[in-house]
Structures are given as structure tokens and as C-alpha cells.
Amino acid sequence: MSIRTMKWQVLLFILALSVSVVHGQVSYSIPEEMAKGAVIGNIAQDLGLGVERLKSGKARIYTGNTEEYIELKRERGVLLIKDRIDRESLCGQTMPCALHFQMILENPMEFYTVTVEIADINDNPPTFERGEMKYEISESALSGARFILEKAVDDDVGINGLNSYALKPSDNFALKTISRGDGTKHVEMVLQKQLDREKHEHISLILTALDGGEPQLSGTMQILITVLDANDNPPVCSKPEYKASVVENAHVGTVITTVRATDIDKGNNGKVTYMIPKSAAGNLFVIDADDGVLTLRGNLDYEKRRLYELDVQVSDQGGLSDACKVIVDVTDTNDNPPSINIMSKSNTVSENVNPGTVVTMLNIQDPDSNDNGKVMCVLNENVPFSIKSTTNTFFTVLTDSDLDRERYSEHNITVTCSDEGVPSLSSSVTLTLQISDVNDNAPVFERSSYQAYIVENNTPGLSIFTVKARDADWNQNARVSYILEDSSVNGVPVSSYVSVSADSGVIHAVRSFDYEQIKDFQFRVKAQDGGSPPLSSNVTVKIMIQDQNDNPPQVLYPVQTGGSVVAEIVPRSADVGYLVTKVVAVDVDSGQNAWLSYKLQKATDRALFEVGLQNGEIRTIRQVTDKDAVKQRLTVIVEDNGQPSRSATVIVNVAVADSFPEVLSEFTDFTHDKEYSDTLTFYLVLALAVVSFLFITCLVVIISVKIYRWRQSRILYHSNLPVIPYYPPRYSDTLGTGTLQHVYNYEVCRTTDSRKSDCKFGRAGSQNVLIMDPSSTGTMQRIQSEKSILDEPDSPLEQHG
């Protein structure tokens, strides 16, 4: 009897003592897990009580201190489910399971005993305490070995409780159930077939517990069996031969391949050890003893060895072993740049070599293989060279176009050779090639033509200007000499006008120029290099003579005569501005040197006449009167605009009269002028006589000297003595009768080659110099006579050094 039942009996006994009437008891049977509010039974009807009695007696349920699962509805007289009833929680495995309580009434006080039996339903499946069980069984265990299993628990009772077990799969084990005296069932697992770990190292079984309810419920537990190994199998390589490849530049520690060997044994019996026997390649490779990873321990070089064969031995802890082979193929990488070797090289090549001339031969080596060893060579840009391959390893550098030393005297040829590897490697070498010069460029003047200016009356030997030519060649081929080409100016050789310095190209004036005689002239200068054969070019030079104010004005009108008096007649009736006459003058200079102005210098009566400043017109400036003198003498000065200016004067006689007889009577007083003219004529005749005497004297002297020389030469000829020619000093004479106001002494030595010409210039002499030449026939008075002497090839002036 349970404790709860005893409590109810005690309670009923106490109630019996306190009430006078007990009408009876009623029992009900309901299944567990009924819904809340479900009707258990009509207790008023079952006890024979009316609903009014339940109301008036304030019927209520008394359960003591236990939980109330049932409630009373007095209005209806029924018992209802107040809360869900779980038989397993309420009674566990106790059978039968019932709720006992009392219904109490008042006025009069009554109570009734009510029993509600809770019937079990199959609402709990069998369960195992653990979800899985693990066993370790050696594969050497014998058949019949028993292994106790955990039993299942089912909270339901009776037919709903645990009924049977099932084990699946049942290949190696069978299930044995043993019933005990307390009604429980003991379950065991029996080995029926010997285990093989190499086939099934782990075995998973499902133990199922079944109850007898309807519907039938079950619970499961997983049984994990680990089969322990026995060393009954040798290790076996997964492949008898492994093939792997590795690049030659792989770093130390690079994994090449993994050798795999399996031993179907377990634990130490299945632990495989890998080893490489000592060999020539043992220092390059190493294998991990535990996992069979083959790694690189040294540096490979494809160019030295391309294939390695390694024997790998695998063994377990029990001494069983196997062997396999690893073939390592070394793959080439582009780790060698091309090597450039110069077989033959020209340091210098002439600029006139033909295109296609070989200047360098190269041998290119690349020890790599396939594309890594294929080499292609190129040259740097903008060089007149190309490179060609004669064979796979031989290249030639040759000229690709014409060379020009004047543009590039030296070429730096960079040969770059690259292989076809990825990434490509390259090498380069720079070849320095000197280009030797040939005379292929003529001198070139800085200008296409030259024009220079020189002021007249220059000093002979004056440097006018310099022509300059450049030759793009080198050394002797670029050495320029300047030559004055033969030509003539107004029938006179140009060499009598100018000379050219052969080395510097400086043009000197040989003579003093006169603008009034020659205003400009031109000639050609040739520039010739020192090559063989020499090349030359020429240029035209134009010399412009610039005027100096070296000529005074010349009066053309009125004409000045020595013996007669010319006068201009002005009538006394002449008005203001009357044109008396016009002074006409010219100046052979040019430019502003020839601009003339007229001024009245002296006059008998300055208030009567004036002279036009620009036109030279003499006009009256007031009315002529009777008081004015008949004879008027005007002195007019004509000036040019040069610096310094030069001038000329003219005397104009003016007669103020209305009739010619009046004029004659006034001008008869000019007798002193006739006397002056006679005196001048006397001096001129005297001068002519003196000059004639001097000329005859000089002529006699020259003839005497000629005869003396002839006699001396005859004497020396007959005496067989060496003849020493005697050359007296030479002189030049220039009178001041022309427009040249300066006289110079100079010596000229000329040859047909202007490069050997020389000039020596002296300083200026006096304005009028008379220099006698014993071999000459007279005095040189004009510059034209000097030209004639200079032009004679055998003239003493040319021979004089």
C-alpha cells in the first residue's frame, strides 16, 4: 500500500469521527492525458443526490494537501478534469493508479469518498539511458564472446511496457535476451563471426527496444564497435612508380611529390616509415619518414642533370616493408641570359664603305633549352647598321646604309640579345665604331655671296673683310685654302686690286681706290681643301667703294678767263628779284658730298644782291637807283655738304647801266688785270723750260747707266765670274694733280698662286713726291701709269722684294 493511500485512510477516519452520516463512495476509471474540462462522471446522479442539494450543501472537493486534478461543477453535478493527468508522473510503475478525494456537503454535513482510477495509455516509448555504447574488440577475438548491453526503460506498464529487443545488422553479432526473477530482461551481444579490422575497422549496430502497446513504440541505441588491429598485413605502396617534375630554380624545401603507402593494420602495426637509401641524389632530396613527403634539399641545375630516379623504401613497425620508385624530371627554366662573345670586330671603318659590309662577328650562347634557349638579337635604334643571323648561334653586324662621318664620327652600337623564355632574359654589349674620313665634302662658304664696303683713298694693304668657308671633313681633308681666281676689272687683273690670304681668307686692298674712277667691282674666291683629290667651291665677292669728300666743287658758269673781263649787265630799271645770272657748279663726289650750297662772300654793295642758297641764282633784293655804282664785283663761294666740306669761289662782275658805252667806260680801268695775266704767262714759260731741262738730263743719265751695265756684263761673261744682278731701289711717284690726296710707298710680290703672294706696305708720304727711276723713261704722274707698270710681268716693281 502506498503512502498516499494511507493518507487518504487517515483522512477518512478523522472525517468519520466528526460527521454523523456517511452515505457511501463512488469509483470512476478514466485514461490518462484527458483534455482539460473533460467530464469524468455525473457524481450527483451516481450518489443519488439532486443538484439542489449540491447547491444548498455547498458541495466541494477535498483533496487534502495533494494537487487537485479534478473539479466539481455544482450547477451540473458533474466532475471535470481540472488539469492534465500523467499517470507515469503520478504513479510511476505502481498499478493500479488512482486518485482518492472526498466530496463534502453542509447543512447537514456529509461527505462521500470518490476514487478515480487512471488507466495507462501507450504514450511513452522504450528509452535507453545512453544514446550510444562503444566497444573495442580485437580482430583476434574468438566466436562466442559475449558483451553485455544496456537495457531499455519504458515508463508505461502492463502491455504498454517493454516487450522485446532487436539488433541490426546481424552479420557478426547475435542478440541474446535473459529474463530475470524480478521480471526484468537482461540483453547480451554474442560474437558469431570473427572480425577483420582491415575490412571493417568500425562497426555500427542499432539496438532497438519495442513495447507491446498499440500502436507499438520503440527506442534505439547505437552500438559503435572499434575493431582493434593485429599486425597481419605488410605496407603496400599506392603506386609502384611515381613521376614528378620540378623546375630547376625551385627553392630548397619545395615539395616535389608525396609517396603514399598503406598498411591496413592499425596503430603501430599500421604505421609506415619512409626512407631513401643513400645514393648520388641523396644530398638533393629528402623524404619525410612519417608522411612520405618528398622535398628538395639542394639546388638543381637543368643544364647539368635533367632526370633523377629515387628508390623509396616503406616499412611498418613489425618489420614488414615494400619499395617503390620516384622519377623526378627537372624542368628547364629561363635562368641563363644569352652570353655574347665577340669573335671579330672592326674598330674603324671608312665612311665610303658599301652597305652590307661586315663590321663585327658575334657568337651567342644560351645553355637553356627549347624556347628558353632560342635567341634573337637586335640593335639600338637610329644607327645605320643591321644584324643578321648566319646560324643559330652566330650573328654578324653589318652596315645597313651609307655612312656619313660628318654627321656621326662615332657610332655606339648596342647589341641586345634576348631569349624567348617567360620572362625573357637578355644581355647586351656596346660596340664603339670609329668612322674614318674621306674627302667627300667640298668647302662651303658661310654665305652664297659677299658684299663689302671700303672707303676710297684707303691705305694699300688695308684688310677689307674676311671670307670664311668650312669643310665638314676632318684633318687634312678639312684644311681650307683660299685662292683668288683670275679675272679682270676694266681690263686690269683683279690681283692688282685685291689679294686673298691663303690661310685666313682675309681680303686686302692692294691699291688705294678712287670712287670717282671705279665705284664697285666683283671677283671670285675659291676655297679648296687639302684632300686628294682636292675639292673646291667658289663665291662671288662684290666690293663697293664708298665716296669721300675729296673733290671741291667745280664752277662751270660763269667761266673764269685770264685775259678778258666778262660782266653781267643789270639795267637801272630792274625791279626787286631781277635775275642777274646763275652760278652753275658741280661736284664729282656723290651723295651728300655733292650737295652744293651757294653763299655771297663779298660784294660791292651787299644790300643790292643776294644768291640763292640751293640754286645759285643772283637776284636783286631792292630797286636799282642812280646812285648805285656801275661796276659791281660779287664773290660767290660754293660749298659741298661733306665732312669736312670743300669749296670753290667765283667772281661775278656786274655792270649796272642802261647802255653799252657806259659799261665800256667803266671797265677800262681793269689794266692791272692784263698786267697780272702777262706775269702769269712768263712764269709758265719758265716752268716749262725747267721741266724740259730736267727731262733731258734724266734721259742722258739713264742711257749712260744702260751702257755701263752692258759693258760690265760683257766683262763678267768673258771672265767666267758669277753674275750678281744689281737692282737699284724702286720708287713710286704720284702727284697731287688728281683726286687722290695721299701718296703711299709699297712693295708688291705676286705669284700665280695667291697662297704665296705677299704684300709689304709703307706709311704715307708727302702729298707731292718726285721719285726718280734710273731705268724709267720719265716720271710717273698718273695712277694709270702705275697700273701699267704693275701689270708688266718683268717690271722692276714686281721683282723688287
Side-chain angles (χ1 to χ4, degrees):
M1 181 179 293
S2 65
I3 298 175
R4 183 179 295 178
T5 304
M6 294 177 63
K7 289 181 178 180
W8 280 104
Q9 291 177 352
V10 172
L11 179 61
L12 291 174
F13 177 74
I14 295 172
L15 290 174
L17 293 177
S18 59
V19 298
S20 58
V21 178
V22 177
H23 290 278
Q25 78 179 41
V26 63
S27 297
Y28 296 97
S29 178
I30 62 174
E32 62 177 329
E33 305 293 342
M34 287 183 65
K36 184 177 181 181
V39 177
I40 298 175
N42 192 332
I43 191 171
Q45 182 179 353
D46 294 337
L47 292 177
L49 298 175
V51 175
E52 294 299 328
R53 174 69 181 117
L54 296 179
K55 293 180 179 181
S56 61
K58 299 180 181 179
R60 66 181 185 275
I61 298 294
Y62 176 76
T63 60
N65 294 327
T66 62
E67 185 176 356
E68 294 184 0
Y69 293 96
I70 297 172
E71 64 178 347
L72 174 64
K73 288 293 183 178
R74 290 194 293 262
E75 295 80 2
R76 296 170 54 191
V78 296
L79 294 176
L80 303 178
I81 299 296
K82 183 179 181 181
D83 198 2
R84 185 182 68 86
I85 300 174
D86 184 9
R87 193 204 67 81
E88 288 76 25
S89 299
L90 187 62
C91 300
Q93 293 294 320
T94 302
M95 291 182 64
C97 179
L99 291 176
H100 301 279
F101 58 89
Q102 287 75 36
M103 184 180 68
I104 301 174
L105 298 174
E106 296 179 0
N107 299 319
M109 184 177 292
E110 297 175 331
F111 76 92
Y112 299 91
T113 299
V114 181
T115 300
V116 180
E117 183 178 356
I118 307 301
D120 182 44
I121 63 174
N122 194 20
D123 59 345
N124 292 285
T127 58
F128 293 93
E129 184 178 352
R130 292 179 293 179
E132 65 179 19
M133 290 187 67
K134 296 181 179 180
Y135 294 92
E136 292 183 351
I137 304 173
S138 174
E139 64 177 333
S140 60
L142 300 177
S143 300
R146 298 189 306 171
F147 304 93
I148 299 175
L149 300 178
E150 179 184 337
K151 64 180 181 179
V153 176
D154 194 334
D155 291 337
D156 292 329
V157 295
I159 194 173
N160 293 328
L162 180 63
N163 183 37
S164 63
Y165 292 93
L167 183 64
K168 293 182 179 179
S170 59
D171 297 338
N172 298 93
F173 294 91
L175 193 63
K176 184 178 180 181
T177 304
I178 301 174
S179 298
R180 291 184 177 177
D182 56 0
T184 61
K185 294 180 178 180
H186 177 71
V187 60
E188 294 179 349
M189 184 173 61
V190 180
L191 180 62
Q192 289 184 328
K193 183 180 179 182
Q194 192 173 3
L195 301 175
D196 188 351
R197 192 204 64 79
E198 287 73 30
K199 291 183 179 179
H200 303 286
E201 181 180 1
H202 299 284
I203 299 175
S204 178
L205 303 178
I206 300 298
L207 178 63
T208 304
L210 302 172
D211 61 14
E214 186 66 35
Q216 190 178 44
L217 301 179
S218 64
T220 60
M221 179 181 66
Q222 186 177 20
I223 300 174
L224 300 177
I225 299 173
T226 301
V227 181
L228 301 179
D229 182 56
N231 192 23
D232 56 348
N233 294 283
V236 177
C237 292
S238 59
K239 293 189 292 185
E241 184 176 281
Y242 289 83
K243 291 184 178 181
S245 62
V246 60
V247 293
E248 62 174 325
N249 62 347
H251 298 292
V252 174
T254 300
V255 175
I256 298 173
T257 188
T258 300
V259 177
R260 297 193 181 278
T262 57
D263 190 327
I264 56 178
D265 292 329
K266 187 67 176 177
N268 291 333
N269 296 327
K271 185 177 182 180
V272 179
T273 302
Y274 302 87
M275 180 185 67
I276 298 177
K278 291 184 178 180
S279 63
N283 59 337
L284 294 177
F285 302 93
V286 62
I287 192 168
D288 189 275
D290 296 328
D291 53 21
V293 177
L294 182 67
T295 56
L296 185 65
R297 68 184 299 182
N299 295 320
L300 301 176
D301 191 349
Y302 174 85
E303 287 71 35
K304 293 181 178 180
R305 187 170 177 179
R306 303 183 180 183
L307 188 69
Y308 294 90
E309 292 187 0
L310 307 176
D311 293 324
V312 179
Q313 180 178 338
V314 294
S315 59
D316 61 16
Q317 300 297 320
L320 301 179
S321 64
D322 192 9
C324 58
K325 181 182 291 187
V326 179
I327 299 175
V328 180
D329 184 16
V330 180
T331 303
D332 182 41
T333 58
N334 194 23
D335 59 344
N336 293 286
S339 175
I340 304 176
N341 302 307
I342 301 176
M343 299 173 59
S344 179
K345 173 187 174 185
S346 297
N347 294 321
T348 305
V349 64
S350 177
E351 65 175 323
N352 62 346
V353 296
N354 295 325
T357 301
V358 177
V359 296
T360 302
M361 297 180 64
L362 304 173
N363 174 243
I364 314 299
Q365 299 289 339
D366 192 327
D368 293 324
S369 64
N370 299 327
D371 291 343
N372 296 332
K374 293 181 181 179
V375 178
M376 181 174 62
C377 296
V378 296
L379 303 181
N380 55 313
E381 296 180 353
N382 301 324
V383 292
F385 300 91
S386 61
I387 188 168
K388 291 184 178 180
S389 173
T390 55
T391 63
N392 292 335
T393 58
F394 293 95
F395 292 80
T396 57
V397 179
L398 40 86
T399 58
D400 187 49
S401 60
D402 293 331
L403 303 179
D404 190 355
R405 190 210 65 82
E406 287 69 43
R407 292 184 61 192
Y408 301 101
S409 62
E410 178 182 280
H411 287 282
N412 291 321
I413 308 170
T414 301
V415 181
T416 303
C417 296
S418 305
D419 56 31
E420 296 183 8
V422 178
S424 176
L425 298 180
S426 62
S427 299
S428 62
V429 64
T430 299
L431 309 173
T432 300
L433 184 64
Q434 302 290 335
I435 309 301
S436 62
D437 185 51
V438 295
N439 192 26
D440 57 348
N441 290 279
V444 178
F445 284 95
E446 293 178 347
R447 303 180 189 174
S448 59
S449 64
Y450 290 88
Q451 183 171 305
Y453 297 87
I454 183 171
V455 180
E456 66 173 332
N457 303 319
N458 59 285
T459 303
L462 177 68
S463 173
I464 302 176
F465 76 107
T466 302
V467 294
K468 194 69 176 178
R470 300 185 183 276
D471 195 316
D473 293 323
W474 183 74
N475 206 355
Q476 185 67 24
N477 295 329
R479 186 170 298 170
V480 179
S481 298
Y482 302 92
I483 303 171
L484 181 64
E485 291 190 351
D486 293 334
S487 63
S488 62
V489 178
N490 298 329
V492 179
V494 72
S495 58
S496 65
Y497 285 84
V498 292
S499 66
V500 180
S501 174
D503 295 328
S504 63
V506 178
I507 297 179
H508 294 276
V510 174
R511 63 170 63 185
S512 181
F513 298 109
D514 187 355
Y515 175 82
E516 287 70 37
Q517 294 183 10
I518 182 171
K519 293 180 172 52
D520 62 76
F521 64 95
Q522 64 182 22
F523 54 91
R524 296 179 72 83
V525 176
K526 179 171 69 174
Q528 180 174 291
D529 61 25
S532 180
L535 300 177
S536 64
S537 62
N538 51 39
V539 69
T540 300
V541 180
K542 186 175 183 179
I543 303 297
M544 307 292 292
I545 312 300
Q546 291 182 330
D547 183 44
Q548 268 190 339
N549 192 24
D550 57 346
N551 292 282
Q554 297 178 5
V555 179
L556 302 180
Y557 184 84
V559 179
Q560 301 294 301
T561 60
S564 61
V565 177
V566 179
E568 301 292 338
I569 300 176
V570 177
R572 292 185 182 276
S573 61
D575 294 329
V576 177
Y578 178 81
L579 177 61
V580 179
T581 188
K582 181 177 182 179
V583 179
V584 179
V586 295
D587 195 323
V588 296
D589 292 327
S590 64
Q592 65 179 5
N593 295 329
W595 296 350
L596 301 180
S597 60
Y598 303 85
K599 297 178 183 178
L600 184 62
Q601 186 179 28
K602 294 180 180 180
T604 304
D605 186 356
R606 281 187 171 273
L608 184 56
F609 301 99
E610 66 175 358
V611 179
L613 181 64
Q614 303 296 332
N615 54 22
E617 295 178 350
I618 301 176
R619 295 180 180 272
T620 59
I621 57 176
R622 63 177 177 79
Q623 183 70 41
V624 180
T625 64
D626 294 338
K627 295 180 180 180
D628 293 325
V630 175
K631 184 176 62 177
Q632 297 285 335
R633 186 183 182 91
L634 307 178
T635 302
V636 178
I637 183 170
V638 183
E639 290 183 342
D640 59 24
N641 199 35
Q643 292 295 330
S645 65
R646 293 181 178 273
S647 64
T649 58
V650 60
I651 297 175
V652 180
N653 294 311
V654 178
V656 180
D658 292 327
S659 62
F660 187 70
E662 185 181 359
V663 174
L664 290 177
S665 62
E666 289 294 333
F667 280 87
T668 53
D669 295 337
F670 287 152
T671 56
H672 65 278
D673 292 337
K674 187 176 186 307
E675 293 176 359
Y676 171 77
S677 178
D678 294 339
T679 303
L680 179 61
T681 302
F682 171 76
Y683 284 115
L684 289 176
V685 172
L686 180 61
L688 180 61
V690 173
V691 171
S692 300
F693 174 76
L694 291 176
F695 174 74
I696 294 172
T697 302
C698 291
L699 183 62
V700 172
V701 172
I702 290 172
I703 294 173
S704 300
V705 171
K706 288 287 186 180
I707 295 173
Y708 174 77
R709 286 183 179 177
W710 178 76
R711 287 180 179 179
Q712 288 295 327
S713 64
R714 296 290 293 178
I715 295 172
L716 292 174
Y717 175 76
H718 289 290
S719 64
N720 294 324
L721 294 176
V723 178
I724 303 175
Y726 170 74
Y727 298 98
R730 317 303 290 166
Y731 297 92
S732 298
D733 179 26
T734 303
L735 296 179
T737 58
T739 59
L740 298 176
Q741 300 300 314
H742 302 286
V743 180
Y744 299 90
N745 296 331
Y746 57 91
E747 297 173 342
V748 180
C749 292
R750 301 196 327 274
T751 65
T752 56
D753 188 354
S754 65
R755 290 177 293 179
K756 300 179 181 178
S757 299
D758 193 13
C759 296
K760 296 182 180 178
F761 303 96
R763 61 186 179 84
S766 63
Q767 187 167 356
N768 293 289
V769 178
L770 180 62
I771 301 171
M772 299 302 296
D773 185 350
S775 63
S776 302
T777 59
T779 303
M780 296 178 292
Q781 297 182 359
R782 298 294 296 171
I783 192 63
Q784 294 296 335
S785 300
E786 181 182 285
K787 294 179 183 177
S788 300
I789 295 173
L790 289 173
D791 293 336
E792 292 176 4
D794 297 329
S795 67
L797 278 174
E798 293 186 355
Q799 295 176 4
H800 181 63

